[in-house]
Amino acid sequence: MKTKTCSLLTHFGVSTLIVLLAGCYRVEYSDELTEQAEITEVVYTPSLHGSGVGMGMTAGGSLVVTNNSVSIPEVHAVVFECQHGKFIIKRKDMWEKAKIGMKVLIHYKEVFHVTDKSRELVKYNFLDFTEVTVNAAAELAAKGLKNGQ
């Protein structure tokens, strides 16, 4: 019983130490932002399943037979290119409506980790995209729509 208590205290102490070293933060999101982009690739990779049998020998000289099985899920992805570079979104709902060469307006939010002393941008939360026609793109440019506005 004494060992269990000591083990529990040690586990609690390690957990506390990890929290203290990692720091406590809260997550904040920006307002919805938009940016113009183009769809450069629409990717589908079917699921794959395989299995096999392997043979080997242990350090003691015994023969070992192993069964292996691998399952890889299907992938639906869209590659976007904006003024900052390319990025990939792996979502079937986006893949279903995407076409190569499509001019789009991407919708996203910035995600921040905030402490009492800092506010750090840690990632972008992609929300959706909408197709932009040639006329709509000209109107956006005329209104001065820029990245992040």
Side-chain angles (χ1 to χ4, degrees), residues 30-92:
S30 70
D31 292 333
E32 184 176 311
L33 303 170
T34 59
E35 185 170 328
Q36 293 183 39
E38 181 178 346
I39 296 175
T40 58
E41 296 178 57
V42 179
V43 180
Y44 171 72
T45 304
S47 62
L48 300 170
H49 305 283
S51 61
V53 177
M55 296 180 70
M57 190 170 290
T58 66
S62 299
L63 185 61
V64 178
V65 177
T66 59
N67 292 318
N68 303 309
S69 178
V70 176
S71 293
I72 301 170
E74 67 181 359
V75 176
H76 298 87
V78 180
V79 180
F80 296 87
E81 184 170 14
C82 64
Q83 74 175 12
H84 300 105
K86 289 185 175 185
F87 64 95
I88 299 170
I89 299 297
K90 295 180 182 176
R91 285 179 36 191
K92 187 176 181 179

Side-chain angles (χ1 to χ4, degrees), residues 118-138:
S118 67
R119 185 173 193 248
E120 180 184 3
L121 175 64
V122 292
K123 68 178 182 174
Y124 298 99
N125 186 5
F126 182 89
L127 302 173
D128 199 1
F129 74 85
T130 51
E131 185 173 10
V132 178
T133 63
V134 175
N135 292 338

